[in-house]
Amino acid sequence: MSTEAAMSTDATASRGVIALLHGPNLNLLGDREPEIYGTTTLADHIATARETAERLGFSLEDQQSNQEGVLVDAIHAARGRCVAIIINPGAFTHYSWAIHDALGAFDGVVVELHLSNPNAREPWRHTSVVAPVATGTIAGFGAHGYPLAVYAVGRALGAVTLGG
Ligand code: DQA
């Protein structure tokens, strides 16, 4: 059975809001180290994520910031309002205990998302302080990570069935 055939979705329900958050330097996607991060812009990644989310019956809000505190506030603002957070914290992944704590106080699904596979890169990228408070992590699949992350949310919330 193909993957497409194995997926069933119900986009008729209003399944809630997904917050898609991006950390520092990700506003430069498309231009920044394209050999690592690809040539797709942040706006295009967001459009792909939104398209997938809406197909599964979710709506999607997005925010990018180079400031740790702005991301902490965005996570707080999602509490009680959003069913899930998909976050690419950029370099904050590796040392922001403030983002760790904020995500720990969020009671929905949390997907940690990376374009590259940090574990295959420099040793300082091998630690994620976000991973312990994430439902799961998607890394290393480039632009495909966006629909995968939305499907992961859908799977966790019963909006999509993957496989048998
Ligand atoms: C990244 C990986 C991080 O190590 C890095 O600091 C980034 C991007 C990724 O998407 O692969 O800014 O989160």
Side-chain angles (χ1 to χ4, degrees), residues 6 10 24 40 60 66 77-80 92 107 109 113 119 122-123 139 151-153 155 159-160:
D10 174 8
T40 307
L60 186 135
N66 296 323
R79 297 177 75 223
F92 288 146
D107 60 6
V109 174
L113 173 64
N119 285 310
E122 304 95 316
Y151 269 101
V153 169
R155 175 70 184 80
V160 56

Side-chain angles (χ1 to χ4, degrees), residues 36-139:
I36 297 174
Y37 299 116
T39 52
T40 307
T41 64
L42 180 60
D44 285 342
H45 288 307
I46 292 166
T48 301
R50 178 163 290 120
E51 200 180 298
T52 309
E54 289 177 354
R55 205 154 7 99
L56 299 189
F58 296 97
S59 58
L60 186 135
E61 296 179 356
D62 69 278
Q63 192 168 350
Q64 185 277 332
S65 180
N66 296 323
Q67 315 296 327
E68 184 179 32
V70 173
L71 292 167
V72 169
D73 286 343
I75 295 165
H76 291 179
R79 297 177 75 223
R81 212 174 47 78
C82 296
V83 293
I85 294 175
I86 299 172
I87 183 165
N88 183 341
F92 288 146
T93 304
H94 312 299
Y95 64 92
S96 175
W97 292 107
I99 289 175
H100 166 105
D101 282 353
L103 289 171
F106 176 74
D107 60 6
V109 174
V110 176
V111 178
E112 177 188 359
L113 173 64
H114 301 284
L115 290 153
S116 68
N117 176 0
N119 285 310
R121 300 178 62 194
E122 304 95 316
W124 61 268
R125 295 187 202 270
H126 297 183
T127 297
S128 169
V129 298
V130 169
V133 286
T135 310
T137 300
I138 292 172

